[in-house]
Structure formats: structure tokens, C-alpha cells
Amino acid sequence: MRVLRPRARGRLREPLLKRAPARSWGPVRRRSQKGACDLRRRGGRCTMPGMVLFGRRWSLASDDLVFPGSFELFLRVLSWIASLTLYLVHRRQLDCPGGVLLSTYLIVLLILLAVIICIVLAMVCVSVRGTICNPGPRKSMAKLLYVRLALFLPEMVWASLGAFWVAKGIQCDKTVVIGIITTVIVSWIVMAATMVTIIFVFDPLGGKMSSHPPGCPEHLDSNNSSRLLTGLKTAAKSVWETRVMVCCCCVEQDDNNARVAFSSAADLFSTYFSDTDLVPSDIAAGFTLLHQQQDNINNSLEPREVVTHFPGQSQEADLDAEVENCHHYMPFAAAAYGWPLYIYRNPFTGLCRIGGGCCRSTEIEYDAVEGDQHHCHFASILKTTGLQYRDFIHISFHDKVYELPFIVVLDHRKEAVVVAVRGTMSLQDVLTDLSAESENLELDIELRDCMAHKGIAQAARYIYRRLVSDGILSQAFSVAPEYRLVLVGHSLGAGAAALLAIMLRGAYPQVRAYAFSPPRGLLSKSLYEYSKDFIVSLILGMDVIPRLSVTNMEDLKRRILRVIANCNKPKYKILLHGCWYGLFGGSPDNSPTELDEGNQRALTQPLLGEQSLLTRGSPGYSSSDSPLDSPTKYPHLYPPGRIIHLEEESGSGRFGCCSAAHYRARWAHEAEFGKILIGPKMLTDHLPNILNQALDRVVADRTACVVSCPGQGGSHTAVV
């Protein structure tokens, strides 16, 4: 037997998981490959994971009906048993006026429920077959769905008749009447849930996708393929723009910035999602497999020989000083969020603490605070920072697309004028985040490439105009001319603060910026190198935002496609094991996650949409791994400045709430955040209160170690 060996492809392949010998799962791979290839065509049409019903493609796969079908089956069996028991026990009591109607209703209902139970059971049995990329064993699912949907008509009619007969006031045993009312309610609940599901799985592009299924462009010439591709992209962008506008219906639609942001967000979503045929449950399965793949790789790695590099005293002192600075300025970044974050951090006492500061309206406060009608934001800022009112120069909670709230305050302890920019808090901020194109920054510095995230750059320009043109900074430095300028922010605010520092460095050479959990896709390579002299970024654990960029999302999509294509387990098992593993831990799945080159291409090909068309039909096709159609629009961007990573060394429970976590503060390179990690803490590590708690304990433990171990210097490990 020939042993399958990975081929060198000019780049390092991802580490394989504990791969069994070819004998154990090689035949399965060959069968999967053959099945995937054979199933790509059926009667001249290509198969897709998304089901085709009524002549259009839906955001539902034939293996998505295991859980909803099982739940409906449970309800239907209970209803059937209850109805049968009701009929057998009370049939002699149905000789009342109208009892014949009720008896007929129960008999027909029992027959109808029996038929529905058989159909739903068949759907569940068929849905558990095959894999995500091998829908062949589930080819009868469409016919079963047609039958099941057709049964809704008699069920609806019979439920309506039952409700009508009961409403007529039939004088029969109350138990019988209540039982019939219950069956009618259950029937209507199931039908209503089905209608809601149909609305959610409806794909506005389904008609186009079913007419021209991805992965089978052989019948198209180059010109037709190019026109079809352009048409699909235009339609996808229009659909996504409508979705974004509906989700952000409370955002002022007539605002020019909002219209530009809607278009940018739609362009981003259509570019990212339009070249795959995955349904949402496939993506969820991919996330669970990637999570287990990461843990499996980490567990299978043998202990490495680590050459410990002890930093020099200057580097160690620099790290200690910057960690202390981050700890000092983090409350300013948190304060910029106003009262919502303060209430979230103090759910029981927060409202009482700031209640006295709300609804006050003195003339001096009105001049200092903008966009805070009841002064609740200002009251929470005072509590968070511990400063006095006279220390605040300006507070703006004016919030629109590309226009972020910010505060300007005098920090007498550090002798600094601090500008804190708020992170993402509103739908307007989300639109700013999603304007992910790159645009050039006009700076008075000699750099070859000065590109930055468009939405964040627009927000930084707005704050720059407010600070400079409106004289806010001039007012601050007229009060404290010897102070230096420090800019801080968290998340979106961190990105805006970093860009502001770059813009203001010409006028304020001593400017410093502290970016807490900044987005990765922010600066071009040259600006990233330039920012290392005056910007420090702080990242906690597995935080997803400092790893989030368009290029990293494309990498994540390729990894999801690969791990799904190479997994030979049914989707319901993947999701069940993934939920159990995510909640309670255990052993990660040992399923193979990478095949040899030929099998990988054969299995992955049916999942690709536009990429398959580009392969044969488009003159603009590129054989590179990235399917981005406009690399100049979404170039590779980097996080700002030098990076301090609070790296977790040992577990603290699945969600960081069971026991203490050990973190190590260290300098990190941006390449360490070049891949999105999947895990239960990828979102919680981004929360400002979690980051603030980590900093509190890190600084406290480092200080305690310096006092107790003066000969060893500052420790880089802390318990959080």
C-alpha cells in the first residue's frame, strides 16, 4: 500500500493532528473523495451544501434538521400519546352535544399526527447521514421536506376547525375540551416556529445561486462566466446593504457618512461571504473543529527546549514602567464608555453611586459636557477616574458615524493632558468598524506608505479637528503648559487614539499613546514601524479584536473550509461534541484535519462558489491562496506600536470564572497575532473590565514580588 505523504508547497503546512496510519482512515478518505466527486453532478446539476427547494437555494443544509426534527418529533409523540390517552379514557363521555365533532376531530388528529411523526422520523434518520461535504446519502431529504410542508395544509385546516368547534361552546367534559385546546395550541406553535424558520433561512440570492450553482462552470464560456460573476457580486452587495440598513434602522439614513458606511459594510460582507456555499451551521461546525484542532495541536506538542532569554535591565525596567503606565491609564479608557460600562461593572451599586450626579444642570457643567443631557456619563467618569470636575477640559458624547465620543482631562499625577477615545458602544460605532477599506493618510512625515483603516482614520480626523480647530488642546495646555500629551482608548477607541498620536506628533513631539486591545487591521507596515517609538499596545490572552483584520478573516475562512472538507463525521456529532467540549472540556476531537493535496482539492472544491467560477471562467483569477478580489482595497494591515501581551500560562476554568489564571506580561511581536484563535475567552478577554482586573492583579503581584524578592527584580508572572 502506498503511504500518502504531504508534498512541499513552498510554505510550511499546518501541523497534522495525531494522524492514524493510512490503513485506519485512508479508505474512508478515498470513499469521501469519490463521494464528493461523484456527487458534484446529479442529472447535469451540481450539488451544494445549501439545499435547493422550490427552484432556489436556501441557507439550510440537509443535515441541519437533526436537532429541530428531534425536538418536533418529541413534541409530536407527546401530543399523539396525550391525544390517544384522552380519546381512550373519555370516549364514552363524548355523547354530549357536539361530542361527535370532537370524537371525529380526535380520530383524524391521531391519524394526521401519526403520518407527521413518520415523516419527521424519516427526515431525522436521513439528516444524520453523510458529512457536510458529502450530501449524497441525504438526497431524499428534498422530497421528504416537500411532503412535510404539504402536511402543514391539512394540519392548519384541522387545527382551525378544532379551534372553531371549541369556541362554539360545546358542552362536554372539561378535560376533553382542555386537551383539544392544548393540541390546537401545540399545532399552531409548531407551524409558527416553522414560518419563522423559513424567514430566517430564506436567501435573497437563492434564485441566482440555484440557476448557476457554484463549482460547475463548465457550461459557461469566459465572457458569460465573467458577466455572471459580476452580476452575483452586484446582487450580493445590494442585498447586504439592505440588511445593514435594516439592522441599523435607528441610524440617520440621510447622513452622508452613514450612506458611505452602509456601502463599505455591504462591500466587506459581500466580498467575504459571496465565494462560499456554506450555511451558518457549517460555519459553527468549522469553529468547533478549529477550537479542538488548536487544543489538540497544543496537547500533542512535545515539551520544547526553551532557551530562556533574560532581558537586560533596561528592557525589564522599560516593561515594568510601561505596564505601570498601562495600569494607570486604563481607567481613563474605561471612563470614556460612560455610565453603561460603569453600571455593567457595578450592577448592584452603580446606579446608586452615580444617581446623585445625574439630572444636575449647573451652567458650568453645561459648558464642559457635550451630548450628555442628564450628566449621567459625567457622573460615572468622575467615579471611574477619581478626579475632580475642575480637572476636565472637555467631555463629548456626540456620537455619529465616523464621529466618536472623547474626553480631555488633566492628569496631575502623571503631569499629562489625557485624551481618551471611546470604543465601540453604538450601531454608529459598528459601522465605523466595518468601513474596513484602506485609505491614505496625509502626514508631514517621509514614509513610503501611509495607509490606515478607513473608518478609524475618518474618526481620528474628526477628533483631530475638534482638538485643534476648536482649540480644546490649546485650552488644556494654557492651563498646564508643562504637561505632555497622552492619548488612550480601548478597542475602536484604541485605534483612533493611535492614529491621533501619529497625526499630532508633528505638533507635540513628546506625545504618547496607550492602545488597549486595538484592532489588528489598522496601520500599513511603514506606519507600524514608525509608531513603535511612541505607542504601546496592551493585549490580553486570546482577545480576538487584536487578531481581527480582513486578511486574517480570509485566513480563518480557508481554515474553516479545510477543516470541514477533511472531517468525516456528521455535522450533528461535530456540534454536540463541540458544545460539550466548549462547556465542560474533555478530550478534543482527533478527527483528521488535513488530507494530501489531491484529496484536499477534490473535497474542498464543491464548497467554493465564486472561486470555482474564477478558476475556469474569469481572466482575473489568481492562483494565490487569498480569494480577495481587490487586494489593494484590503491590504495587509498591522496593529499600532510595541505590544505588551498578558499571556495566560495556566487555566482558569473554561470562561475564566472558576479559579485564578496565571498571566505573564511580556513584549510580543505583531506576527504572534497573525491568526485568529478560537476559544471560550476570545470575546471575554476583550472586555475592558476584564482587562482592567487583569492589570490590577498583574501590577499588584509584580510590586509584591519586587518587595519580597529584591534580588530577583520584577517578576513577569502574575496571578489574575
Short mmCIF file of all heavy atoms in Angstrom, two decimals, residues 621-680:
data_model
loop_
_atom_site.label_atom_id
_atom_site.label_comp_id
_atom_site.label_asym_id
_atom_site.label_seq_id
_atom_site.Cartn_x
_atom_site.Cartn_y
_atom_site.Cartn_z
N TYR A 621 -8.63 35.65 -12.53
CA TYR A 621 -8.36 34.65 -11.49
C TYR A 621 -6.88 34.64 -11.13
O TYR A 621 -6.00 34.72 -11.96
CB TYR A 621 -8.77 33.26 -11.98
CG TYR A 621 -8.24 32.15 -11.12
CD1 TYR A 621 -8.78 31.93 -9.86
CD2 TYR A 621 -7.20 31.34 -11.55
CE1 TYR A 621 -8.31 30.92 -9.06
CE2 TYR A 621 -6.72 30.33 -10.75
CZ TYR A 621 -7.28 30.12 -9.51
OH TYR A 621 -6.81 29.11 -8.70
N SER A 622 -6.62 34.52 -9.82
CA SER A 622 -5.26 34.39 -9.32
C SER A 622 -5.16 33.11 -8.55
O SER A 622 -6.05 32.76 -7.79
CB SER A 622 -4.90 35.58 -8.41
OG SER A 622 -3.66 35.36 -7.78
N SER A 623 -4.09 32.38 -8.71
CA SER A 623 -3.93 31.08 -8.06
C SER A 623 -3.44 31.20 -6.63
O SER A 623 -3.13 30.22 -5.99
CB SER A 623 -2.93 30.22 -8.85
OG SER A 623 -1.68 30.88 -8.92
N SER A 624 -3.34 32.41 -6.10
CA SER A 624 -2.89 32.58 -4.73
C SER A 624 -3.93 32.05 -3.77
O SER A 624 -5.08 31.84 -4.11
CB SER A 624 -2.61 34.06 -4.43
OG SER A 624 -3.80 34.79 -4.52
N ASP A 625 -3.52 31.83 -2.54
CA ASP A 625 -4.43 31.30 -1.54
C ASP A 625 -5.55 32.28 -1.20
O ASP A 625 -6.63 31.90 -0.82
CB ASP A 625 -3.67 30.96 -0.25
CG ASP A 625 -2.87 29.68 -0.39
OD1 ASP A 625 -3.19 28.91 -1.30
OD2 ASP A 625 -1.93 29.49 0.41
N SER A 626 -5.28 33.55 -1.28
CA SER A 626 -6.28 34.53 -0.87
C SER A 626 -7.30 34.73 -1.96
O SER A 626 -6.97 35.06 -3.09
CB SER A 626 -5.61 35.87 -0.53
OG SER A 626 -6.60 36.82 -0.22
N PRO A 627 -8.59 34.56 -1.66
CA PRO A 627 -9.62 34.80 -2.65
C PRO A 627 -10.09 36.25 -2.70
O PRO A 627 -11.08 36.55 -3.33
CB PRO A 627 -10.76 33.89 -2.17
CG PRO A 627 -10.61 33.83 -0.70
CD PRO A 627 -9.14 33.98 -0.42
N LEU A 628 -9.41 37.14 -2.05
CA LEU A 628 -9.81 38.54 -2.11
C LEU A 628 -9.71 39.04 -3.55
O LEU A 628 -8.72 38.84 -4.24
CB LEU A 628 -8.91 39.39 -1.21
CG LEU A 628 -9.19 39.32 0.28
CD1 LEU A 628 -8.17 40.14 1.04
CD2 LEU A 628 -10.58 39.79 0.60
N ASP A 629 -10.79 39.68 -4.01
CA ASP A 629 -10.80 40.14 -5.39
C ASP A 629 -10.13 41.49 -5.56
O ASP A 629 -9.87 41.91 -6.66
CB ASP A 629 -12.25 40.22 -5.90
CG ASP A 629 -13.09 41.20 -5.09
OD1 ASP A 629 -12.65 41.56 -3.99
OD2 ASP A 629 -14.17 41.59 -5.57
N SER A 630 -9.85 42.20 -4.48
CA SER A 630 -9.25 43.53 -4.59
C SER A 630 -8.22 43.72 -3.49
O SER A 630 -8.49 44.35 -2.47
CB SER A 630 -10.33 44.61 -4.51
OG SER A 630 -9.76 45.88 -4.64
N PRO A 631 -7.02 43.15 -3.65
CA PRO A 631 -6.03 43.25 -2.59
C PRO A 631 -5.61 44.67 -2.28
O PRO A 631 -5.15 44.96 -1.19
CB PRO A 631 -4.86 42.41 -3.12
CG PRO A 631 -5.06 42.36 -4.60
CD PRO A 631 -6.54 42.42 -4.83
N THR A 632 -5.74 45.59 -3.25
CA THR A 632 -5.38 46.98 -2.97
C THR A 632 -6.41 47.64 -2.07
O THR A 632 -6.12 48.62 -1.40
CB THR A 632 -5.26 47.77 -4.28
OG1 THR A 632 -6.51 47.69 -4.98
CG2 THR A 632 -4.17 47.18 -5.16
N LYS A 633 -7.63 47.13 -2.07
CA LYS A 633 -8.69 47.68 -1.24
C LYS A 633 -8.55 47.23 0.20
O LYS A 633 -8.85 47.96 1.13
CB LYS A 633 -10.05 47.27 -1.79
CG LYS A 633 -11.21 48.07 -1.24
CD LYS A 633 -12.47 47.73 -2.01
CE LYS A 633 -13.59 48.67 -1.63
NZ LYS A 633 -14.82 48.38 -2.39
N TYR A 634 -8.13 45.99 0.39
CA TYR A 634 -7.95 45.43 1.73
C TYR A 634 -6.52 44.89 1.87
O TYR A 634 -6.30 43.69 1.92
CB TYR A 634 -8.95 44.30 1.98
CG TYR A 634 -10.39 44.70 1.86
CD1 TYR A 634 -11.18 44.25 0.80
CD2 TYR A 634 -10.98 45.52 2.80
CE1 TYR A 634 -12.51 44.60 0.69
CE2 TYR A 634 -12.32 45.90 2.70
CZ TYR A 634 -13.07 45.43 1.64
OH TYR A 634 -14.38 45.79 1.54
N PRO A 635 -5.53 45.78 1.92
CA PRO A 635 -4.14 45.30 2.05
C PRO A 635 -3.89 44.79 3.46
O PRO A 635 -4.71 44.96 4.37
CB PRO A 635 -3.32 46.55 1.76
CG PRO A 635 -4.20 47.67 2.18
CD PRO A 635 -5.60 47.25 1.86
N HIS A 636 -2.73 44.19 3.64
CA HIS A 636 -2.36 43.66 4.95
C HIS A 636 -2.02 44.82 5.87
O HIS A 636 -1.15 45.64 5.57
CB HIS A 636 -1.16 42.73 4.81
CG HIS A 636 -0.87 41.95 6.05
ND1 HIS A 636 -1.67 40.92 6.48
CD2 HIS A 636 0.11 42.05 6.96
CE1 HIS A 636 -1.19 40.41 7.60
NE2 HIS A 636 -0.10 41.10 7.91
N LEU A 637 -2.72 44.91 7.01
CA LEU A 637 -2.51 45.98 7.97
C LEU A 637 -2.05 45.41 9.30
O LEU A 637 -2.23 44.22 9.57
CB LEU A 637 -3.80 46.79 8.16
CG LEU A 637 -4.33 47.52 6.92
CD1 LEU A 637 -5.62 48.25 7.24
CD2 LEU A 637 -3.30 48.49 6.35
N TYR A 638 -1.50 46.28 10.14
CA TYR A 638 -0.83 45.85 11.36
C TYR A 638 -1.39 46.61 12.57
O TYR A 638 -1.97 47.69 12.42
CB TYR A 638 0.68 46.10 11.25
CG TYR A 638 1.34 45.35 10.14
CD1 TYR A 638 1.32 45.85 8.83
CD2 TYR A 638 1.99 44.15 10.37
CE1 TYR A 638 1.92 45.16 7.79
CE2 TYR A 638 2.61 43.46 9.34
CZ TYR A 638 2.57 43.96 8.06
OH TYR A 638 3.15 43.27 7.03
N PRO A 639 -1.18 46.08 13.77
CA PRO A 639 -1.58 46.81 14.97
C PRO A 639 -0.59 47.94 15.26
O PRO A 639 0.51 47.97 14.71
CB PRO A 639 -1.54 45.73 16.07
CG PRO A 639 -0.50 44.77 15.58
CD PRO A 639 -0.62 44.75 14.08
N PRO A 640 -0.95 48.87 16.15
CA PRO A 640 -0.05 50.01 16.39
C PRO A 640 1.00 49.73 17.46
O PRO A 640 0.75 49.05 18.45
CB PRO A 640 -1.03 51.09 16.87
CG PRO A 640 -2.12 50.32 17.56
CD PRO A 640 -2.25 49.03 16.80
N GLY A 641 2.19 50.28 17.24
CA GLY A 641 3.22 50.36 18.28
C GLY A 641 3.79 49.05 18.76
O GLY A 641 3.60 47.98 18.17
N ARG A 642 4.54 49.14 19.88
CA ARG A 642 5.04 47.96 20.57
C ARG A 642 3.91 47.30 21.32
O ARG A 642 2.98 47.96 21.78
CB ARG A 642 6.18 48.34 21.52
CG ARG A 642 7.41 48.91 20.83
CD ARG A 642 8.50 49.22 21.86
NE ARG A 642 8.05 50.26 22.80
CZ ARG A 642 8.63 50.50 23.97
NH1 ARG A 642 9.67 49.77 24.37
NH2 ARG A 642 8.18 51.46 24.75
N ILE A 643 4.01 45.99 21.48
CA ILE A 643 2.89 45.22 22.03
C ILE A 643 3.31 44.55 23.32
O ILE A 643 4.33 43.84 23.37
CB ILE A 643 2.41 44.16 21.02
CG1 ILE A 643 1.93 44.84 19.73
CG2 ILE A 643 1.28 43.33 21.62
CD1 ILE A 643 1.58 43.86 18.62
N ILE A 644 2.52 44.77 24.37
CA ILE A 644 2.65 44.02 25.62
C ILE A 644 1.53 43.00 25.64
O ILE A 644 0.35 43.36 25.53
CB ILE A 644 2.56 44.93 26.85
CG1 ILE A 644 3.71 45.94 26.85
CG2 ILE A 644 2.59 44.11 28.14
CD1 ILE A 644 3.63 46.94 28.01
N HIS A 645 1.90 41.73 25.78
CA HIS A 645 0.90 40.66 25.80
C HIS A 645 0.81 40.08 27.20
O HIS A 645 1.80 39.62 27.75
CB HIS A 645 1.27 39.56 24.80
CG HIS A 645 0.21 38.52 24.63
ND1 HIS A 645 0.49 37.24 24.21
CD2 HIS A 645 -1.13 38.57 24.83
CE1 HIS A 645 -0.63 36.55 24.15
NE2 HIS A 645 -1.63 37.33 24.52
N LEU A 646 -0.38 40.13 27.78
CA LEU A 646 -0.64 39.43 29.03
C LEU A 646 -1.05 38.01 28.66
O LEU A 646 -2.20 37.73 28.36
CB LEU A 646 -1.73 40.13 29.83
CG LEU A 646 -1.46 41.58 30.21
CD1 LEU A 646 -2.59 42.11 31.10
CD2 LEU A 646 -0.13 41.73 30.93
N GLU A 647 -0.07 37.13 28.66
CA GLU A 647 -0.24 35.78 28.14
C GLU A 647 -0.61 34.82 29.26
O GLU A 647 0.06 34.77 30.30
CB GLU A 647 1.06 35.32 27.47
CG GLU A 647 0.97 33.97 26.82
CD GLU A 647 2.30 33.60 26.18
OE1 GLU A 647 3.35 33.91 26.76
OE2 GLU A 647 2.28 33.00 25.09
N GLU A 648 -1.67 34.06 29.03
CA GLU A 648 -2.11 33.11 30.03
C GLU A 648 -1.19 31.90 30.06
O GLU A 648 -0.86 31.32 29.03
CB GLU A 648 -3.55 32.66 29.74
CG GLU A 648 -4.14 31.80 30.83
CD GLU A 648 -5.60 31.47 30.60
OE1 GLU A 648 -6.15 31.92 29.56
OE2 GLU A 648 -6.20 30.79 31.43
N GLU A 649 -0.78 31.52 31.25
CA GLU A 649 0.13 30.39 31.40
C GLU A 649 -0.56 29.14 31.90
O GLU A 649 -0.12 28.05 31.64
CB GLU A 649 1.27 30.75 32.37
CG GLU A 649 2.24 31.77 31.81
CD GLU A 649 3.45 31.95 32.70
OE1 GLU A 649 3.27 31.96 33.92
OE2 GLU A 649 4.56 32.07 32.17
N SER A 650 -1.65 29.28 32.67
CA SER A 650 -2.38 28.11 33.15
C SER A 650 -3.85 28.45 33.23
O SER A 650 -4.24 29.61 33.24
CB SER A 650 -1.88 27.68 34.53
OG SER A 650 -2.08 28.70 35.48
N GLY A 651 -4.67 27.40 33.26
CA GLY A 651 -6.10 27.56 33.11
C GLY A 651 -6.77 28.24 34.28
O GLY A 651 -6.34 28.19 35.41
N SER A 652 -7.92 28.84 33.97
CA SER A 652 -8.76 29.46 34.99
C SER A 652 -10.19 29.04 34.80
O SER A 652 -11.11 29.80 35.01
CB SER A 652 -8.67 30.98 34.89
OG SER A 652 -9.09 31.41 33.62
N GLY A 653 -10.39 27.80 34.35
CA GLY A 653 -11.74 27.39 34.00
C GLY A 653 -12.01 27.75 32.55
O GLY A 653 -11.30 28.52 31.92
N ARG A 654 -13.11 27.21 32.02
CA ARG A 654 -13.40 27.42 30.61
C ARG A 654 -13.67 28.89 30.29
O ARG A 654 -13.41 29.35 29.20
CB ARG A 654 -14.62 26.59 30.18
CG ARG A 654 -14.49 25.12 30.47
CD ARG A 654 -13.33 24.50 29.73
NE ARG A 654 -13.55 24.48 28.29
CZ ARG A 654 -12.66 24.06 27.42
NH1 ARG A 654 -11.47 23.64 27.82
NH2 ARG A 654 -12.92 24.04 26.14
N PHE A 655 -14.24 29.62 31.25
CA PHE A 655 -14.59 31.01 30.99
C PHE A 655 -13.93 31.97 31.96
O PHE A 655 -14.35 33.10 32.13
CB PHE A 655 -16.12 31.18 31.05
CG PHE A 655 -16.83 30.33 30.05
CD1 PHE A 655 -17.32 29.08 30.41
CD2 PHE A 655 -16.99 30.75 28.74
CE1 PHE A 655 -17.97 28.29 29.49
CE2 PHE A 655 -17.64 29.96 27.81
CZ PHE A 655 -18.14 28.73 28.19
N GLY A 656 -12.90 31.53 32.64
CA GLY A 656 -12.14 32.42 33.49
C GLY A 656 -12.84 32.80 34.77
O GLY A 656 -12.57 33.84 35.34
N CYS A 657 -13.77 31.96 35.27
CA CYS A 657 -14.51 32.34 36.46
C CYS A 657 -14.40 31.31 37.57
O CYS A 657 -15.04 31.44 38.59
CB CYS A 657 -15.99 32.53 36.10
SG CYS A 657 -16.76 31.07 35.37
N CYS A 658 -13.64 30.25 37.38
CA CYS A 658 -13.62 29.17 38.36
C CYS A 658 -12.43 29.28 39.30
O CYS A 658 -12.52 28.94 40.46
CB CYS A 658 -13.60 27.82 37.64
SG CYS A 658 -15.08 27.54 36.62
N SER A 659 -11.29 29.69 38.81
CA SER A 659 -10.11 29.79 39.65
C SER A 659 -9.18 30.84 39.06
O SER A 659 -9.45 31.39 38.00
CB SER A 659 -9.41 28.42 39.74
OG SER A 659 -9.02 27.99 38.45
N ALA A 660 -8.08 31.09 39.75
CA ALA A 660 -7.15 32.13 39.31
C ALA A 660 -6.41 31.70 38.06
O ALA A 660 -6.05 30.55 37.88
CB ALA A 660 -6.17 32.44 40.43
N ALA A 661 -6.19 32.67 37.17
CA ALA A 661 -5.43 32.43 35.95
C ALA A 661 -4.05 33.06 36.11
O ALA A 661 -3.91 34.13 36.70
CB ALA A 661 -6.14 33.02 34.75
N HIS A 662 -3.04 32.41 35.57
CA HIS A 662 -1.67 32.91 35.64
C HIS A 662 -1.34 33.58 34.31
O HIS A 662 -1.48 32.98 33.25
CB HIS A 662 -0.70 31.75 35.92
CG HIS A 662 -0.93 31.11 37.25
ND1 HIS A 662 -0.29 31.51 38.40
CD2 HIS A 662 -1.75 30.10 37.62
CE1 HIS A 662 -0.68 30.77 39.42
NE2 HIS A 662 -1.58 29.90 38.97
N TYR A 663 -0.92 34.83 34.37
CA TYR A 663 -0.56 35.59 33.18
C TYR A 663 0.88 36.05 33.28
O TYR A 663 1.40 36.30 34.37
CB TYR A 663 -1.47 36.82 33.01
CG TYR A 663 -2.85 36.50 32.50
CD1 TYR A 663 -3.89 36.25 33.38
CD2 TYR A 663 -3.10 36.42 31.14
CE1 TYR A 663 -5.17 35.96 32.91
CE2 TYR A 663 -4.36 36.12 30.66
CZ TYR A 663 -5.38 35.90 31.55
OH TYR A 663 -6.63 35.60 31.07
N ARG A 664 1.50 36.14 32.13
CA ARG A 664 2.88 36.61 32.04
C ARG A 664 2.91 37.84 31.15
O ARG A 664 2.51 37.77 29.98
CB ARG A 664 3.77 35.52 31.48
CG ARG A 664 5.25 35.91 31.36
CD ARG A 664 6.10 34.67 31.09
NE ARG A 664 5.74 34.06 29.83
CZ ARG A 664 6.41 34.25 28.69
NH1 ARG A 664 7.46 35.05 28.67
NH2 ARG A 664 6.04 33.64 27.58
N ALA A 665 3.35 38.96 31.69
CA ALA A 665 3.48 40.18 30.89
C ALA A 665 4.82 40.14 30.15
O ALA A 665 5.87 39.96 30.76
CB ALA A 665 3.41 41.41 31.79
N ARG A 666 4.76 40.31 28.85
CA ARG A 666 6.00 40.26 28.05
C ARG A 666 5.80 41.09 26.78
O ARG A 666 4.68 41.34 26.34
CB ARG A 666 6.35 38.83 27.68
CG ARG A 666 5.33 38.15 26.78
CD ARG A 666 5.74 36.74 26.39
NE ARG A 666 4.79 36.13 25.48
CZ ARG A 666 4.81 36.29 24.16
NH1 ARG A 666 5.73 37.06 23.59
NH2 ARG A 666 3.90 35.71 23.40
N TRP A 667 6.94 41.49 26.21
CA TRP A 667 6.90 42.13 24.90
C TRP A 667 6.61 41.07 23.84
O TRP A 667 7.14 39.97 23.90
CB TRP A 667 8.21 42.82 24.59
CG TRP A 667 8.51 44.03 25.42
CD1 TRP A 667 9.50 44.17 26.34
CD2 TRP A 667 7.80 45.27 25.41
NE1 TRP A 667 9.47 45.41 26.92
CE2 TRP A 667 8.42 46.13 26.36
CE3 TRP A 667 6.69 45.76 24.71
CZ2 TRP A 667 7.99 47.42 26.60
CZ3 TRP A 667 6.26 47.05 24.97
CH2 TRP A 667 6.90 47.86 25.89
N ALA A 668 5.77 41.39 22.88
CA ALA A 668 5.39 40.43 21.84
C ALA A 668 5.55 41.08 20.48
O ALA A 668 5.53 42.31 20.33
CB ALA A 668 3.95 39.96 22.04
N HIS A 669 5.70 40.23 19.47
CA HIS A 669 5.81 40.70 18.09
C HIS A 669 4.44 40.61 17.43
O HIS A 669 3.63 39.73 17.77
CB HIS A 669 6.83 39.85 17.31
CG HIS A 669 7.19 40.42 15.98
ND1 HIS A 669 6.50 40.11 14.82
CD2 HIS A 669 8.17 41.28 15.62
CE1 HIS A 669 7.03 40.76 13.81
NE2 HIS A 669 8.05 41.48 14.26
N GLU A 670 4.20 41.49 16.49
CA GLU A 670 2.88 41.51 15.85
C GLU A 670 2.55 40.21 15.13
O GLU A 670 1.38 39.85 15.00
CB GLU A 670 2.79 42.69 14.87
CG GLU A 670 3.76 42.69 13.72
CD GLU A 670 3.30 41.82 12.56
OE1 GLU A 670 2.11 41.50 12.50
OE2 GLU A 670 4.16 41.45 11.74
N ALA A 671 3.57 39.47 14.68
CA ALA A 671 3.31 38.23 13.97
C ALA A 671 2.62 37.19 14.86
O ALA A 671 1.96 36.28 14.35
CB ALA A 671 4.62 37.66 13.42
N GLU A 672 2.76 37.32 16.17
CA GLU A 672 2.09 36.39 17.08
C GLU A 672 0.59 36.55 17.06
O GLU A 672 -0.13 35.68 17.56
CB GLU A 672 2.62 36.58 18.50
CG GLU A 672 4.12 36.34 18.65
CD GLU A 672 4.59 36.61 20.06
OE1 GLU A 672 3.83 36.31 21.01
OE2 GLU A 672 5.71 37.11 20.23
N PHE A 673 0.10 37.63 16.48
CA PHE A 673 -1.33 37.88 16.40
C PHE A 673 -1.81 37.82 14.95
O PHE A 673 -2.79 38.46 14.59
CB PHE A 673 -1.66 39.24 17.02
CG PHE A 673 -1.13 39.38 18.42
CD1 PHE A 673 0.12 39.96 18.65
CD2 PHE A 673 -1.84 38.90 19.50
CE1 PHE A 673 0.63 40.08 19.94
CE2 PHE A 673 -1.34 39.01 20.79
CZ PHE A 673 -0.11 39.59 21.01
N GLY A 674 -1.10 37.04 14.15
CA GLY A 674 -1.41 36.92 12.74
C GLY A 674 -2.44 35.85 12.42
O GLY A 674 -2.70 35.60 11.24
N LYS A 675 -3.03 35.22 13.42
CA LYS A 675 -4.04 34.20 13.19
C LYS A 675 -5.10 34.30 14.28
O LYS A 675 -4.79 34.47 15.45
CB LYS A 675 -3.41 32.81 13.19
CG LYS A 675 -4.40 31.67 12.99
CD LYS A 675 -3.71 30.32 12.97
CE LYS A 675 -2.90 30.14 11.70
NZ LYS A 675 -2.38 28.77 11.56
N ILE A 676 -6.36 34.21 13.87
CA ILE A 676 -7.47 34.27 14.83
C ILE A 676 -7.55 32.95 15.58
O ILE A 676 -7.59 31.87 14.97
CB ILE A 676 -8.79 34.56 14.10
CG1 ILE A 676 -8.75 35.95 13.47
CG2 ILE A 676 -9.98 34.45 15.06
CD1 ILE A 676 -9.96 36.28 12.62
N LEU A 677 -7.55 33.03 16.91
CA LEU A 677 -7.66 31.85 17.75
C LEU A 677 -9.11 31.66 18.19
O LEU A 677 -9.80 32.63 18.50
CB LEU A 677 -6.76 31.98 18.98
CG LEU A 677 -5.26 32.18 18.71
CD1 LEU A 677 -4.50 32.29 20.02
CD2 LEU A 677 -4.70 31.04 17.86
N ILE A 678 -9.54 30.41 18.22
CA ILE A 678 -10.91 30.08 18.61
C ILE A 678 -10.88 29.52 20.02
O ILE A 678 -10.12 28.60 20.32
CB ILE A 678 -11.53 29.05 17.65
CG1 ILE A 678 -11.38 29.51 16.19
CG2 ILE A 678 -13.00 28.83 17.98
CD1 ILE A 678 -12.05 30.82 15.89
N GLY A 679 -11.70 30.08 20.90
CA GLY A 679 -11.76 29.60 22.26
C GLY A 679 -12.82 30.34 23.05
O GLY A 679 -13.34 31.38 22.60
N PRO A 680 -13.18 29.83 24.22
CA PRO A 680 -14.25 30.47 25.01
C PRO A 680 -13.90 31.86 25.52
O PRO A 680 -14.79 32.62 25.88
CB PRO A 680 -14.46 29.49 26.17
CG PRO A 680 -13.19 28.70 26.25
CD PRO A 680 -12.66 28.61 24.86
#
